[in-house]
Amino acid sequence: MIFELAKGFSLLLALSFVQQWLVEHGPDRPLYRDILSGVLFGLICVVGMATPLVLTEGIIFDPRSVILSMAGLFGGPVVAAVAGTIAAVFRGWIVGGEGGFLGMVVVAVSALWGLGFRAAIARGWIKLNVLTLLGLGLAVHLTAVGIFMFLPPEIARAILERVAAPFLLVFVPATLVMGLLLRDIQQRAETKRELTNSEQRLQYVFDHVATAICIEDLSQLDAALDRLRRRGIRDIRRHLDDHPDVAAQLAALVATRDANPAALDLFEAPSKPALIDALTSTFGPETPQLIVDLVGAMWDGESAFRAEASYRTLTGRPITTILSMPLPTGPEDGRRVPVSMVDITERRGTEKAIMAAKAEAERANRAKSEFLAAMSHDLRTPLNAIVGFAEMMRIGTYGPVGDPHYEQYVADIHSSGLLLVSLINDILDLSKVEAGHYTLNEDVLNVAEIIDATITQVRGMAADRGQSLVAELPDPAPRLRADHRVIHQVLNNLLTNAIKFSPNGSIIRMTAGRGTEGGIDLAVIDRGIGMSETDIEKSLRPFEQADSEHARRHQGTGLGLYLCLTFMRLHGGSLTIQSEPGVGTEVIAHFPADRRAG
C-alpha cells in the first residue's frame, strides 16, 4: 500500500517540474497563465486517479487532495477552479462508483483549504513556512478521512484499519514537500520577474538619462592586476611610472561594450558602433594618466573612481568631462561597469575666461599703478623746472632780466610747459575715447603737407641726436579725409617714438603710399632697438611701455601707441607694427579706401 501511495508522490514531483517550466516560460497575461496552470494541475489529478490505490470497487485513493490544495494555495481561485472542475468531472462521471460523490467532495474541500490558507497568508495572519504546510496537509487529509466516514460502515471501517494511517503518513509529508518545492518555484519566478523589471527600468534610464554613460569591461584589467600582485609588485604607481609600456598594455585591456544615446551626443557620433569603434575605451592611449589613476584606485581597493578627462569628439572638437564609475570587487563584477561622463567643457571655458579676465584686470591695475607712479615724476619734473627757473628770474639770481642765463631759463620753462600740455592732452584724449565721447572733426587733408608739418615740429629733437628725417612721398601726394589734429598727433607720436629709440646719427623715414584694397598707408621706419612680439603687445596696451627696463630714460605716459591705435580705429583703419629686436621697427597707419579723397 505504501508503494502504491508513493507512486502518487512521484506525480507530485513531476507536477513541480512542469509547473516550474510553465511559470518561467508560460504566457505573459496572468489569466491565460492561470488557466493553463489550472489545466496542468487538473491533468496531474487525472493521471493520479487513473492509477490509484483501489480499496474496493469505486473506492480509490490518489494524490488529488495534495494537488488541489496546492492549486488553491499557490495558484489562487482561477487555478483551483479549473483544476477542481477537471478532477471532479473525471472522478464523478468517468471513474464513478460508490464513492464518486464523496470523491468530488474531497476535490472541492481540498481546493477550498488551499484557498483559505492562501487568504490567511495574504492578510498576514500566518506565514508560508514548514509549520503552515504541515498544518495544511493535516487539515486537508484529516478532512478527507472524515468524509470517508460517510461511506457504508464496513467500507469506512476498512478505511480506518487499512488506509487512514498510511494515507496520512504519505500525503501530509507530501503536502509539505510539494509546498516547499512550489514555494521555491514561486519565489524564483518572482525574483526573476523583479530582475527583469529592474533591468527594464535600468535600460530605460540608460537610454533616456541626460548623462553620457559608457559600459566598460574591466575584467581583463582586474585579472592582469592579480597577476602583477602575484609577481610581487607592491607599488603599482611607481611600477607604471618606471614602465610606461605596461600602462599602455593595461589600457588596451579595457574595452567599451555599450554606450547610451547621451554618449553619442557627447562624442558627436552618428551611431553606437561608430562610437565604440572610435572610442575603443574611455581609458585609451590618449589618456595615459587616467589609466594610471584608475589602476591605482583598483589596486588600493577603492569602491569608486572619479577623475577629469579630456577627449576629442568624432568631429575633432575637444571636450572635458568629469568621469565617475564604481570599481569592481571581482572579475565578474568587472564585465559591465557603467562609466558616467558629465560634459564640463563650457564650465572649464568659463573658468579660463574668468581667470584670464582676472589676470587682465590685475595687469591693468599694475599698469595703472606704474602709470600713476611715473606720472607723479613726469608732472613734478617740468613743474619743478618752471617754478625753479621762474623763482630765479624773480629774485634776480643773475641780476636784472636781460642776462643771457635767463634766455635759457625761458626756453626750459617753455619746453616744460609743452611737455605738461602733451601729458595732460594724452590723459584727456584717453578719458574721452574710453567714455565714447570722442568726436572726429573731419576735413580733406593733403598728406604731404601734414607729413612736412610733423617733421618740422620734431626736427629740432632729431637734430639734437644727429638724426636725419626723410619723407618719401608719391607725386602727386594723396589726399585724405580725416581729423587734422588727430592725424597730426598720430604721426607726431610715431615719429617721436622713432627718434627716442633710434641711435644717434641714424636715418628715420616717413612714407606714404597706396595700401591694400585701395586704401592709404602712412609709415614710419627706423633702424632702432626694435621690439619683440611681447613688447609689441605691451606697447599697444594703455599705460604700458615696451622698453620697460629703459622707459624712464624717455618722458611719456605709455599712452602714445595705444592712442594711435585707438585713433586709427576711430577712422575705420588699423595700426600695424613690424619689428625685430636690434634691427628696427616699421609702424604702418592704414586708412581704408573710403578715406581717400583724391
Side-chain angles (χ1 to χ4, degrees):
M1 181 181 296
I2 297 293
F3 176 75
E4 293 295 329
L5 293 174
K7 288 194 301 182
F9 188 79
S10 64
L11 285 175
L12 299 178
L13 291 177
L15 171 63
S16 66
F17 289 117
V18 177
Q19 175 67 8
Q20 179 177 354
W21 181 91
L22 180 62
V23 169
E24 292 180 355
H25 305 286
D28 292 332
R29 298 184 64 175
L31 179 60
Y32 292 169
R33 187 171 58 247
D34 287 350
I35 292 174
L36 189 58
S37 182
V39 171
L40 171 63
F41 277 88
L43 291 178
I44 294 294
C45 288
V46 169
V47 173
M49 287 185 285
T51 57
L53 169 64
V54 180
L55 181 63
T56 184
E57 182 67 26
I59 307 298
I60 62 174
F61 292 90
D62 57 77
R64 66 180 180 275
S65 55
V66 177
I67 296 170
L68 291 167
S69 63
M70 294 296 103
L73 179 61
F74 291 100
V78 174
V79 176
V82 173
T85 300
I86 293 173
V89 169
F90 187 84
R91 179 66 184 90
W93 280 273
I94 297 177
V95 176
E98 188 174 356
F101 175 74
L102 293 179
M104 295 172 63
V105 173
V106 170
V107 167
V109 168
S110 299
L112 289 172
W113 270 116
L115 290 172
F117 271 69
R118 178 186 178 90
I121 292 171
R123 287 171 171 77
W125 297 343
I126 57 175
K127 294 183 179 180
L128 183 57
N129 52 30
V130 172
L131 290 178
T132 299
L133 291 172
L134 284 174
L136 175 62
L138 284 171
V140 169
H141 294 96
L142 285 174
T143 302
V145 170
I147 293 172
F148 296 154
M149 295 302 99
F150 289 96
L151 291 168
E154 65 275 10
I155 298 176
R157 188 180 308 109
I159 290 174
L160 287 174
E161 294 174 354
R162 296 173 51 193
V163 178
F167 180 74
L168 292 172
L169 288 174
V170 172
F171 286 133
V172 170
T175 304
L176 170 62
V177 173
M178 186 65 180
L180 292 175
L181 287 174
L182 291 179
R183 183 187 68 174
D184 180 65
I185 292 171
Q186 185 181 60
Q187 289 176 344
R188 280 191 291 167
E190 290 176 356
T191 301
K192 185 175 181 180
R193 281 195 296 270
E194 290 175 359
L195 287 175
T196 300
N197 293 336
S198 177
E199 289 175 356
Q200 291 174 347
R201 289 193 296 269
L202 288 174
Q203 186 65 42
Y204 180 86
V205 173
F206 181 76
D207 290 337
H208 294 85
V209 70
T211 302
I213 301 176
C214 289
I215 303 299
E216 300 293 329
D217 186 348
L218 303 184
S219 58
Q220 294 187 51
L221 174 60
D222 194 51
L225 294 183
D226 284 340
R227 291 193 294 270
L228 289 174
R229 286 191 182 92
R230 289 195 295 271
R231 284 173 47 191
I233 303 299
R234 293 188 177 182
D235 190 338
I236 189 63
R237 292 177 177 84
R238 176 177 295 179
H239 182 72
L240 295 180
D241 289 341
D242 295 339
H243 304 85
D245 57 315
V246 175
Q249 293 170 8
L250 293 177
L253 297 177
V254 183
T256 303
R257 299 303 185 195
D258 199 0
N260 70 345
L264 270 63
D265 293 339
L266 175 62
F267 286 95
E268 298 173 342
S271 64
K272 187 180 296 185
L275 175 59
I276 293 175
D277 290 344
L279 191 59
T280 304
S281 168
T282 50
F283 305 93
E286 69 280 2
T287 54
Q289 187 57 45
L290 194 61
I291 188 66
V292 172
D293 293 341
L294 171 66
V295 168
M298 294 178 65
W299 189 272
D300 296 339
E302 295 181 12
S303 59
F305 178 70
R306 179 183 174 89
E308 182 174 313
S310 297
Y311 303 96
R312 286 193 176 273
T313 66
L314 271 64
T315 61
R317 181 174 62 87
I319 58 173
T320 303
T321 67
I322 291 292
L323 180 149
S324 303
M325 59 184 293
L327 293 181
T329 56
E332 291 301 320
D333 293 340
R335 295 192 181 280
R336 290 184 65 83
V337 178
V339 180
S340 65
M341 288 171 281
V342 178
D343 187 2
I344 60 168
T345 307
E346 186 175 345
R347 187 199 311 173
R348 283 288 178 265
T350 302
E351 289 175 357
K352 289 180 180 178
I354 291 173
M355 294 303 295
K358 180 175 178 290
E360 178 64 20
E362 291 173 348
R363 182 205 61 76
N365 187 56
R366 287 194 303 270
K368 287 184 178 181
S369 298
E370 293 173 2
F371 165 73
L372 291 174
M375 280 300 298
S376 65
H377 173 271
D378 289 342
L379 290 173
R380 280 196 194 99
T381 300
L383 282 173
N384 287 337
I386 291 171
V387 172
F389 291 136
E391 179 66 16
M392 292 178 70
M393 293 175 65
R394 186 183 66 80
I395 65 176
T397 302
Y398 293 100
V401 175
D403 187 280
H405 287 86
Y406 296 136
E407 294 181 6
Q408 182 61 44
Y409 294 165
V410 170
D412 290 341
I413 290 172
H414 181 262
S415 63
S416 297
L418 291 177
L419 177 59
L420 281 174
V421 171
S422 175
L423 293 174
I424 293 170
N425 281 340
D426 282 352
I427 296 172
L428 292 176
D429 286 342
L430 176 65
S431 65
K432 286 183 180 179
V433 168
E434 291 191 341
H437 296 157
Y438 201 97
T439 303
L440 296 177
N441 296 314
E442 298 183 2
D443 199 357
V444 176
L445 311 178
N446 186 295
V447 171
E449 292 177 359
I450 197 167
I451 288 179
D452 287 342
T454 304
I455 290 176
T456 299
Q457 185 174 2
V458 299
R459 192 181 298 279
M461 180 180 177
D464 291 341
R465 303 169 64 91
Q467 296 168 336
S468 300
L469 304 179
V470 178
E472 299 176 0
L473 306 173
D475 188 17
R479 297 171 68 82
L480 181 66
R481 182 172 53 81
D483 186 313
H484 181 278
R485 191 188 75 81
V486 168
I487 300 306
H488 179 76
Q489 185 175 345
V490 169
L491 296 180
N492 184 282
N493 285 348
L494 298 181
L495 194 53
T496 301
N497 280 346
I499 293 171
K500 288 180 183 179
F501 297 101
S502 293
N504 293 345
S506 61
I507 298 175
I508 300 171
R509 297 158 49 218
M510 292 191 71
T511 67
R514 186 178 184 85
T516 58
E517 298 181 356
I520 298 175
D521 284 353
L522 305 182
V524 175
I525 306 166
D526 66 58
R527 291 294 176 262
I529 62 174
M531 293 186 289
S532 65
E533 290 293 332
T534 302
D535 286 339
I536 292 174
E537 291 178 5
K538 289 179 62 179
S539 68
L540 292 174
R541 294 197 292 256
F543 310 117
E544 296 191 32
Q545 293 178 318
D547 186 23
S548 57
E549 295 181 2
H550 309 287
R552 296 281 52 89
R553 278 195 264 158
H554 308 287
Q555 295 173 323
T557 61
L559 295 173
L561 283 176
Y562 175 71
L563 284 174
C564 290
L565 173 63
T566 303
F567 287 147
M568 290 305 300
R569 287 175 175 170
L570 287 175
H571 284 83
S574 62
L575 190 75
T576 304
I577 301 177
Q578 300 171 356
S579 186
E580 184 177 346
V583 176
T585 302
E586 178 179 358
V587 184
I588 302 172
H590 172 74
F591 295 88
D594 59 5
R595 289 284 173 182
R596 179 183 285 275

